[in-house]
């Protein structure tokens, strides 16, 4: 079993590559607000992702497509104010980097300048190569994201496992190699077969971070609301829930309602 091999006061993009070469698995979790980021950072999660999944879990949209650059900057700056140790990576939202490399750079610069984030994440391979190059050339660290890329959900049609067929697996491997060559510091592999994750992770020197990619990834990422069981309608096979906060929070809030209605709250000690 892999455990922490070195104490990191502050996790950097270099630390992640070092963790991979030391055989230490990388932990990554999402956070979108100050209070959650404080808890996640204090628990020594290595990387905090301000994911565009905020569109789903914070705003209630069906997909990640509607969230805007301004909204991502708002979430990212709230997270940054809480974090002392973790590397904070922020998703470039749909529409902010695909059409034009100059626009991609402008979007990435806004995230870095206005939120204080440490790196950005983009979805896709060859199609966004010029945008990735442009962002990297400005000295902004970039994390890739291949496999199931939720910003392309309308192209895929479903959230099922990607790259099961040889042709798509071959393209994924080529894209991963290309992203490493360009200078990306890590790549998220979402919902692909474990055997393919193994192959990609062995081929690359930069770390892979899996979500539904199996045990061979160099690190793992989950959406924090899923891990804590705050969401309860989303049940993919890859998700391990560590709590059932949906139920616990619901019970706590029902008890509060009951106490207010029955005049039990506030009592004599709870008033001035
Ligand atoms: O937005 C997000 O939360 C993500 C993770 C699922 C990797 O991209």
């Amino acid at each position: 079993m892999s455990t922490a091999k070195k104490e990191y006061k502050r996790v950097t993009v270099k630390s992640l590559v070092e963790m991979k070469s030391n055989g230490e698995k990388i932990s990554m979790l999402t956070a979108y607000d100050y209070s959650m980021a404080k808890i996640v950072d204090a628990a020594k999660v290595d990387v905090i992702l301000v994911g565009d999944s905020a569109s789903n879990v914070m705003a209630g949209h069906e997909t990640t497509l509607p969230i805007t650059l301004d909204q991502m900057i708002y979430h990212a700056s709230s997270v940054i104010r809480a974090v002392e140790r973790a590397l904070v990576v922020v998703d470039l939202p749909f529409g902010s980097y695909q059409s034009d490399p100059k626009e991609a750079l402008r979007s990435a610069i806004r995230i870095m300048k206005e939120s204080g984030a440490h790196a950005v994440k983009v979805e896709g391979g060859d199609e966004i190569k010029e945008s990735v190059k442009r962002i990297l050339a400005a000295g902004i660290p970039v994390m890739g994201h291949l496999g199931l890329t939720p910003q392309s959900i309308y192209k895929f049609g479903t959230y099922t496992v990607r790259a099961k067929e040889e042709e798509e697996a071959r393209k994924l491997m080529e894209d991963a190699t290309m992203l490493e060559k360009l200078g990306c510091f890590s790549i998220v592999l979402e919902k692909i077969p474990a055997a393919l994750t193994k192959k990609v992770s062995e081929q690359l020197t930069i770390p892979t971070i899996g979500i539904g990619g199996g045990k061979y990834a160099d690190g793992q990422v989950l959406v924090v609301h899923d891990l804590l069981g705050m969401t309860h309608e989303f049940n993919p096979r890859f998700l391990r829930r560590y709590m059932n906060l949906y139920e616990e929070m619901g019970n706590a809030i029902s008890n509060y309602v009951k106490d207010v209605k029955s005049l039990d709250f506030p009592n004599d000690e709870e008033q001035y």
Side-chain angles (χ1 to χ4, degrees), residues 28 30 32 49-54 64 91 121 123 145 150 188 190 211 221 223:
M28 171 159 145
T30 63
Y32 318 101
L49 173 66
V50 183
D52 57 359
S53 50
T64 58
D91 266 332
K121 177 164 83 57
E123 295 184 7
H145 185 156
V188 167
E190 181 162 352
I211 173 159
V221 56
V223 168

Side-chain angles (χ1 to χ4, degrees), residues 126-262:
D126 197 45
E127 323 73 45
I128 57 155
K129 185 175 174 184
E130 295 309 316
S131 293
V132 173
K133 263 195 200 164
R134 191 60 83 108
I135 299 169
L136 285 165
I140 300 172
V142 177
M143 176 180 265
H145 185 156
L146 299 171
L148 176 64
T149 45
Q151 291 178 10
S152 307
I153 189 58
Y154 291 117
K155 183 175 89 179
F156 300 144
T158 69
Y159 286 96
T160 51
V161 180
R162 304 303 313 171
K164 288 208 298 208
E165 308 303 329
E166 207 181 310
E167 179 63 17
E168 196 179 333
R170 192 186 46 74
K171 172 159 183 346
L172 189 144
M173 179 60 99
E174 280 172 13
D175 283 341
T177 310
M178 181 273 294
L179 290 172
E180 169 165 277
K181 277 208 184 111
L182 288 183
C184 289
F185 68 92
S186 175
I187 301 176
V188 167
L189 298 176
E190 181 162 352
K191 242 179 160 184
I192 62 169
L196 180 58
T197 300
K198 183 169 191 279
K199 220 167 128 191
V200 176
S201 306
E202 283 172 359
Q203 169 93 10
L204 301 185
T205 55
I206 58 169
T208 59
I209 311 283
I211 173 159
K215 62 183 175 187
Y216 300 109
D218 302 305
Q220 298 294 328
V221 56
L222 285 176
V223 168
V224 70
H225 292 66
D226 296 335
L227 171 151
L228 295 173
M230 284 171 85
T231 49
H232 70 300
E233 281 156 353
F234 178 62
N235 287 303
R237 185 206 293 203
F238 68 77
L239 175 59
R240 185 180 293 184
R241 288 193 207 285
Y242 288 81
M243 289 185 86
N244 185 348
L245 266 193
Y246 184 86
E247 207 173 290
E248 286 194 41
M249 288 171 84
N251 287 341
I253 294 166
S254 304
N255 285 336
Y256 162 74
V257 172
K258 193 164 64 71
D259 290 351
V260 170
K261 300 278 181 194
S262 67

